[in-house]
Amino acid sequence: LEAETAAALDAAGDLRAWDAVRIGLLGKSGRLTALLKGLGQVPAEQRRERGAALNRLKTALEARIEARRGALEAAALEARLAAERLDVTLPPRPHPPAGAEAGGIHPISRTIEELVALFGAQGFSVAEGPDIESDWHNFGALNIPEHHPARQDHDTFYLPALPGANARRPVLRTHTSPVQIRTMVAQEPPIRVIVPGRTWRADHDATHSPMFHQVEGLVIDRGITLGHLKGCLIDFLRAFFGIADLPVRFRASYFPFTEPSMEVDIGWDRKSGELGKGTDWLEILGSGMVHPRVLANCGIDPREWQGFAFGMGIERITMLKHGMPDLRPFYESDVRWLRHYAADP
Ligand code: PHE
């Protein structure tokens, strides 16, 4: 019995199995208990000796059982300590924790990043200007005087006039073109900049927002021609939309600050909305050769320097690129829309 018990105790891998062995021996109907109970039936002359032997056996078994309990408890404690160990040398947990949602890049920011990269590859750097502009920067210097009809097209937000002087009221810039003026006033040619930024017009529907974004481009150098303008914009549009043979059309137009002026259309299929397919044209941006009077307004001699400029809506090109039907969700912070359109950081 002692050998059997030793084997059973060795086999008991945890305290539960150990307890079953113990009860099997020492419990009410345990095997050792039964032997001890059986002493009564043993003839009197053998009882003493057998009783002593059973007691030795009981002591020995109890010692084995206790020893095994000690070993199992020590192992259980070891396992718990290992499982609960706090390793203070581990790096911090990621925040937000694994499985939680990380932020994404807003589609407007993503397009601006793409614009900066694509025009950067053509040698453009980035210029910026203020949202609140003087009348002169937003209109006057761009050859849009006080009573010019182009002013009506802009649905301008006017701000209160600054105290003193007979200054014109400042405006929320209606386009990024005032940064053309700021750049030419501040910098000697040659100039090659793009200007992404917020713009403002009092207009609101599915395709217009009172605050929206434009990107302006300006190149001033010696001997710049319409050919440079066309090459620059065709390359950009094909790269941005990822369509190597995207049809691009230049259509004569009018802006007060460029001469000649051209609107730029890209080929698409109006019915399916697919770019580069079908036979329809979609207007996408305004451009032209910088008007000599605008150069002169900025102190640049138009006999020595020529240039071109262009401007386009960032929401508009983003919507076209990603097939977005509505402009308003850009500013609504609806997590479902952001999840769908946001780029990985
Ligand atoms: N500023 C013009 C607009 O907002 C776009 C433009 C920029 C046109 C530069 C020509 C040259 O409509």
Side-chain angles (χ1 to χ4, degrees), residues 100-250:
E101 217 167 339
I105 307 291
H106 191 278
I108 297 282
S109 305
R110 172 159 51 144
T111 296
I112 292 175
E113 285 174 5
E114 289 169 3
L115 290 165
V116 170
L118 289 173
F119 283 109
Q122 290 199 38
F124 287 75
S125 54
V126 175
E128 286 182 317
D131 284 21
I132 297 175
E133 269 295 8
S134 71
D135 188 281
W136 186 77
H137 286 96
N138 196 81
F139 294 122
L142 288 160
N143 204 26
I144 314 174
E146 186 82 61
H147 297 293
H148 196 286
R151 290 213 180 197
Q152 264 82 71
D153 301 339
H154 279 211
D155 302 310
T156 309
F157 286 113
Y158 287 93
L159 295 163
L162 297 167
N166 46 6
R168 293 178 205 276
R169 287 178 294 167
V171 301
L172 287 177
R173 66 180 181 192
T174 58
H175 49 178
T176 42
S177 300
V179 189
Q180 283 188 37
I181 302 303
R182 290 184 175 275
T183 306
M184 288 189 280
V185 166
Q187 217 173 295
E188 300 276 310
I191 291 169
R192 206 182 288 197
V193 292
I194 58 163
V195 184
R198 281 191 197 103
T199 45
W200 309 79
R201 292 184 198 181
D203 208 349
H204 200 194
D205 61 30
T207 54
H208 296 87
S209 153
M211 187 283 296
F212 59 109
H213 297 76
Q214 283 191 342
V215 62
E216 191 85 7
L218 175 70
V219 172
I220 306 289
D221 207 331
R222 295 187 177 90
I224 296 290
T225 70
L226 266 181
H228 296 114
L229 182 164
K230 292 175 74 174
C232 168
L233 290 176
I234 291 171
D235 278 0
F236 161 71
L237 290 168
R238 290 182 173 166
F240 178 78
F241 289 111
I243 303 172
D245 57 354
L246 180 70
V248 180
R249 178 174 80 171
F250 292 80

Side-chain angles (χ1 to χ4, degrees), residues 40 45 49 94 114 124 139 145 197 222 229 252 256 275 281 311 330 335 337:
E45 63 275 21
E49 203 183 319
E114 289 169 3
F124 287 75
F139 294 122
R222 295 187 177 90
L229 182 164
L275 303 177
W281 292 102
F330 276 114
V335 174
W337 186 89

